[in-house]
Amino acid sequence: MYKRYPSVQSMSAFLSAARTGSFSKAARQLDLTNSAISQQIRALEQFVGQPLFVREGGKSNLTDAGAFFASLLSDGLAQIDRALASVQNGHVPLRLTIDVDSELAQCWLNVRLPQLLEALPGHDLMLLSMPRAERPSFERVDIALRYGYGEWEDCEIAQICGDRVIVVAAPALLERYQLEAPISPAQVLDLPMLGYTRRSWIPWLGAAGLPPIEPGTPVVFDNVANLIAAAEAGVGVGLVRGLLAHDSLSAGRLVELTRTEVPAHYNLYAVWSHDQAQKVAPVVEAVRRMVASTFEPSA
C-alpha cells in the first residue's frame, strides 16, 4: 500500500521556524515569503493532525508535539541530504553488515578498525554483535565473525585462524604472591583462578599432568573481555585464547604464566550465506591478514 508523506519543503520550513523561533526569520533563511512559510507549516500540521506551534505575542513557540517532531525530523532530513549528495556525486559505497562476536570486538577488533577500513576502500560498515541465540540467522548480516567448531549448516565458512589456550595473570598478582613467570602448573593452582562459563580448566590440567579436577573459582564470567579485565586488575589467573589476550600481553598488562598450553578447538570462523561469497571475500582476506599480523613475532 502506498504511504503518503508530507512534502520535504513543508518539513524544511517547519525545521527552520523551529530553529529560529520565528516564521519571518525562517522565511528570510529560505528566501520565501512569510505567507509561504505559514502555508507550508499549516499543511504539515494538517498532515500530522495537531498543532506544532503556539503563536503568542508575535512569537512562535513549539508545542510539545512540535519539539518532539523537530528532534526526530532533523536527523531524517540530514540523512536524505547525505543520500542525495552521495548519488549526485557518484559515490555509492558498498554497505557491509558484519556480525562480530562481542568478545572478539572488545578484545581485538575495535582497536584495529582503522586497518579494516583501510583494507576495504569504498565500503561502509555496519557492525553488530548479535546475541548468541540469534546467530544462526543471516537475515540481517552479510558475514559473521564467530567462534565455534565450524559445524554451521546451509552456509559457507572459512576458518580465520587456529589458536591456543594459555594461562595469564597480571604482574601485580605474581608480585603479591612473590612469584616470577614462568611458574610451574602446580603453582598456578595455588593462585586464585577465574572461571569462564564456556571453558573448563580440565583440558589444561590434563596437558600439565595434573589431576583433571575442575578447580574452585571465586568468580565466573560469561564474557572473555570481562575476564581479561579482571585478570589485568589482579583478581586472579585466567585461561584465555592467545588472540584475545594478545594486546594485553604485548602491553605488559598480563603475562603468560607457564609453558603449558592446549590447542583451541573452538576457533574463529567467517560465516556467510551462499549468495554472499563474492561480496564478503575482501572481508575474509582482510581479517585473515590482520590476524596473521597480530601473531607475527615482534622484531
Side-chain angles (χ1 to χ4, degrees), residues 122-198:
H123 290 73
D124 279 355
L125 305 185
M126 176 176 287
L127 301 183
L128 308 176
S129 286
M130 296 169 61
R132 292 176 186 272
E134 296 182 18
R135 294 236 168 136
S137 172
F138 286 95
E139 295 176 0
R140 295 171 56 194
V141 304
D142 298 307
I143 185 171
L145 299 175
R146 304 178 180 172
Y147 277 101
Y149 297 105
E151 297 176 346
W152 295 281
E153 297 179 353
D154 299 324
C155 59
E156 296 185 41
I157 65 173
Q159 184 171 333
I160 297 297
C161 69
D163 210 337
R164 62 193 184 114
V165 178
I166 57 176
V167 179
V168 298
L173 182 69
L174 292 178
E175 184 178 345
R176 193 159 72 240
Y177 283 82
Q178 298 182 336
L179 296 171
E180 186 174 334
I183 62 176
S184 71
Q187 288 175 299
V188 171
L189 296 180
D190 292 329
L191 300 174
M193 301 172 76
L194 304 177
Y196 177 53
T197 53
R198 289 181 287 277

Side-chain angles (χ1 to χ4, degrees), residues 220-240:
V220 179
F221 297 88
D222 70 349
N223 182 290
V224 165
N226 293 335
L227 186 152
I228 288 175
E232 290 179 358
V235 176
V237 173
L239 192 62
V240 296

Side-chain angles (χ1 to χ4, degrees), residues 96 138 141-143 156 272-281:
L96 278 169
F138 286 95
V141 304
D142 298 307
I143 185 171
E156 296 185 41
W272 63 91
S273 58
H274 295 291
D275 59 346
Q276 298 288 357
Q278 184 173 356
K279 183 177 181 180
V280 304

